[in-house]
Amino acid sequence: QVQFVESGGGLVQPGGSLRLSCAASGSMFSINAMGWYRQAPGKQRELLARIGSGGSTFYADSVKGRSTISRDNAKNTVVLQMNSLKPEDTAVYYCNQYPFRNYWGQGTQVTVSS
């Protein structure tokens, strides 16, 4: 079973930045695409960004232009750098494999408020 541990969230002011990190277990990490997701209260979990095994990336319109997803296969980590944060970015952020997801981790809370 693949396990994911997210970290790096916190309380930030609008316009601030956060670096979210995901540590994954499992030998299949290097050949699987990975995604960052978020879920706000009362809303469906949504895909924000994904990165392929070869480094190709995709970003949802909501974060495109102000977020960067990256991965380090040697460390089994995937990172989401988020800049110019907005109050509507407030949510719990999760990582997982894409598209065939494993069990969800605990997520990391991002709160953007002044």
Side-chain angles (χ1 to χ4, degrees):
Q1 183 66 57
V2 179
Q3 303 290 332
F4 306 103
V5 180
E6 300 92 343
S7 62
L11 174 63
V12 297
Q13 293 182 278
S17 298
L18 284 173
R19 182 181 183 272
L20 309 182
S21 182
C22 170
S25 65
S27 61
M28 301 294 288
F29 179 85
S30 64
I31 62 172
N32 286 335
M34 293 289 296
W36 274 98
Y37 306 75
R38 72 183 178 192
Q39 187 169 26
K43 295 186 177 181
Q44 184 179 350
R45 199 191 311 265
E46 63 174 325
L47 175 68
L48 300 177
R50 63 174 184 259
I51 183 167
S53 60
S56 62
T57 58
F58 163 84
Y59 299 94
D61 289 341
S62 59
V63 301
K64 188 179 300 181
R66 59 190 183 94
S67 298
T68 302
I69 188 170
S70 60
R71 68 191 297 163
D72 186 337
N73 290 338
K75 298 180 180 179
N76 281 16
T77 59
V78 58
V79 167
L80 183 68
Q81 174 69 43
M82 300 191 69
N83 305 315
S84 302
L85 285 162
K86 307 172 182 179
E88 52 262 44
D89 292 321
T90 297
V92 179
Y93 286 68
Y94 304 87
C95 67
N96 213 316
Q97 296 175 162
Y98 179 91
F100 302 109
R101 293 164 291 184
N102 216 294
Y103 292 113
W104 298 99
Q106 83 286 356
T108 185
Q109 176 72 49
V110 171
T111 302
V112 184
S113 177
S114 59

